[in-house]
Amino acid sequence: MAGGGIADGGPRKRAHLYTHKFTPYCAVNCFFGSLGGFLFGYNLRVSDGVTSRDDFLQEFFPTVLERKNMHLKETDYCKFHDQVLTLFTSSLYFSALFTTFFASYLTRKKGRKASIIVAAHGFLVGAILSTCAKSIATLIIARILLGVGIGFGNQAIPLYLSEMAPAKTRGAVNQLFQLTTCAGILIASLMNYSTETIYPGGWRISMGFAAFPAMIMLKGGILCAETPNSLVEQGWLEEARRVLENVRGTKNVDAEFEDLKDASEQARAITSPFRTLLQRKYTPQLVIGALGIPAFQQLTGNNSILFLAPVIFQSLGFGNNAALFLSFITIGALLVATVISMFLVDKFGRRKFFMEAGFEMICCMICIAVVLALEFGHGKELSKGVSTFLVVVIFLFVLAYGRSWGPLGWLVPSELFPLEIRSAGQSIVVCVNMIFTALVAQLFLVSLCHLKYGIFLLFGGLIVVMSCFIFFLLPETKQVPIEEIYLLFEDHWFWKKIVRTDQDLKHQMGSQQTDQDLEHQMECQQLFNIPNKID
């Protein structure tokens, strides 16, 4: 059972019996299941590109355009500081964090597919409305609908991929979500760059393009299979076994299927998964998976650099076209890093990627802060050499993030939760992630304006904290079957003191007492020469 322990002899005895082969059936389902990641990345990136364009600003934010033109030939940290403009971006995240709780119920009761289909509808309608928008209010409504797509998609897709994937390749398969997210960001940058010369209204083409992948996602969501875990949880045992055999490429799935049924029995006994998540034995999953990692993923500062790259590069003195091109380079680094992580994360493990990349990110943040402190501000333009150095350092930072906190920020939480709290836990993950994404997006430009280069030192300090968090609290989860990961916390030097429930303590004390009674009985038998009748 997902809530059991080592002593019950349950799942741990069956793990070595798991078998699988690569199957096109699994690959196709995972591909269509991951398309929500593409739309997540595309809608995050495309809006941040259009906010630096003159025709968009002229139509919706003329005061920002006026301020931008005043500083056209000088550098200024505060050039793009406008809270309504920032709300255009962050409304997406606020919508996502509210809708993820509705997605949790749908994902648990009706399956992962249902949430993926709802997400596709949100992306489709939001993209169409964005293209037709004539007022700020319409733009915000469109962003809210896109946020519905993100809320449902990000809740279901990481679970879908983790449950479909075999244990030995779960890290690589789950990172399809991050890979498609990066692809979406990359295509959005290309669209922004290619429509830059279309004036006015080129931004509408960029925003409306998202409707095409949304239609593909909707069609794929309808056709793809439900996960075996979800089918068992809903009581469709025959269908679950059939899907499990197809995705594993073998009929020999008895061991894994029995684990799924055990986990499902535990899950069906839970009537309030959110309240259950607060129980003592789930504290590690709550602290690490639901709160720590999704919050820290945004506090690395990467998304601020990545999604606001055109604005940042313009603030640092680059032209509009140059800013879009340079941001395209950083996104390419993110895509390359994700591919590296996909191929190596199941070999080297999650912890090593977190720690090694964290050290690189700290060094990069310090370098950026030092250069800006010495060379930037007060109308002083950056030299070509300094500008090139900054681009290289940002490239290296994104490369480090892209193989650690980027993909692992979604992979590790989706692994940690047992089936009975999995949908609820993933909702908290999305909610916390969106809260911190929205806060960082809403506050980054104003922080850049007031803290100047100090904002990068702040991010560097936060990366030190989160690296310590990973080092001390996260056990290695590579190649561990998803329904057995809870066992890692029972052996962990810190968490084992917390997850041990009162029932476990009574059981342990009872076992100790039984052993003492047995020893006492044997002594009495030997003393009085009583025949041994103990089995």
Side-chain angles (χ1 to χ4, degrees), residues 103-268:
S104 172
Y105 178 83
L106 186 66
T107 301
R108 185 168 187 250
K109 295 295 184 181
K110 300 298 182 181
R112 288 47 168 156
K113 270 187 62 174
S115 286
I116 291 174
I117 292 171
V118 172
H121 280 96
F123 284 128
L124 180 59
V125 178
I128 294 172
L129 195 59
S130 296
T131 309
C132 303
K134 294 293 184 180
S135 66
I136 295 177
T138 306
L139 275 178
I140 299 298
I141 292 173
R143 296 292 284 178
I144 290 173
L145 290 172
L146 292 171
V148 171
I150 292 176
F152 277 85
N154 288 21
Q155 207 280 339
I157 292 170
L159 299 185
Y160 185 89
L161 296 176
S162 288
E163 291 178 350
M164 279 291 195
K168 292 185 178 180
T169 59
R170 187 176 59 248
V173 173
N174 184 275
Q175 289 193 48
L176 280 172
F177 179 71
Q178 179 69 9
L179 182 66
T180 54
T181 300
C182 295
I185 295 171
L186 184 63
I187 297 300
S189 295
L190 285 172
M191 288 297 298
N192 283 336
Y193 189 72
S194 61
T195 58
E196 176 67 21
T197 57
I198 302 176
Y199 188 93
W203 66 271
R204 294 185 185 275
I205 299 175
S206 297
M207 299 288 284
F209 177 80
F212 294 102
M215 287 188 287
I216 297 174
M217 178 185 175
L218 178 59
K219 185 68 173 179
I222 294 172
L223 295 178
C224 69
E226 183 59 88
T227 69
N229 310 60
S230 180
L231 289 170
V232 171
E233 189 176 15
Q234 297 175 68
W236 299 91
L237 297 183
E238 292 184 6
E239 177 69 8
R241 172 138 193 152
R242 184 188 67 80
V243 173
L244 185 62
E245 290 175 353
N246 288 335
V247 296
R248 298 294 179 260
T250 177
K251 297 286 186 180
N252 184 21
V253 295
D254 292 342
E256 187 171 1
F257 191 62
E258 288 302 316
D259 278 353
L260 293 183
K261 290 195 294 184
D262 287 347
S264 178
E265 290 178 9
Q266 183 79 6
R268 280 196 290 266

Side-chain angles (χ1 to χ4, degrees), residues 480-498:
V480 179
I482 193 170
E483 302 300 347
E484 298 187 13
I485 285 180
Y486 73 94
L487 295 170
L488 297 175
F489 298 111
E490 297 182 2
D491 295 330
H492 190 270
W493 71 273
F494 176 76
W495 293 119
K496 67 181 180 181
K497 305 172 185 176
I498 297 176

Side-chain angles (χ1 to χ4, degrees), residues 403-420:
R403 64 179 185 273
S404 59
W405 283 96
L408 301 186
W410 294 104
L411 166 61
V412 174
S414 71
E415 296 178 318
L416 295 183
F417 302 106
L419 184 61
E420 64 265 25

Side-chain angles (χ1 to χ4, degrees), residues 458-469:
L458 175 61
F459 282 132
L462 289 171
I463 297 171
V464 173
V465 173
M466 62 186 71
S467 296
C468 293
F469 177 86

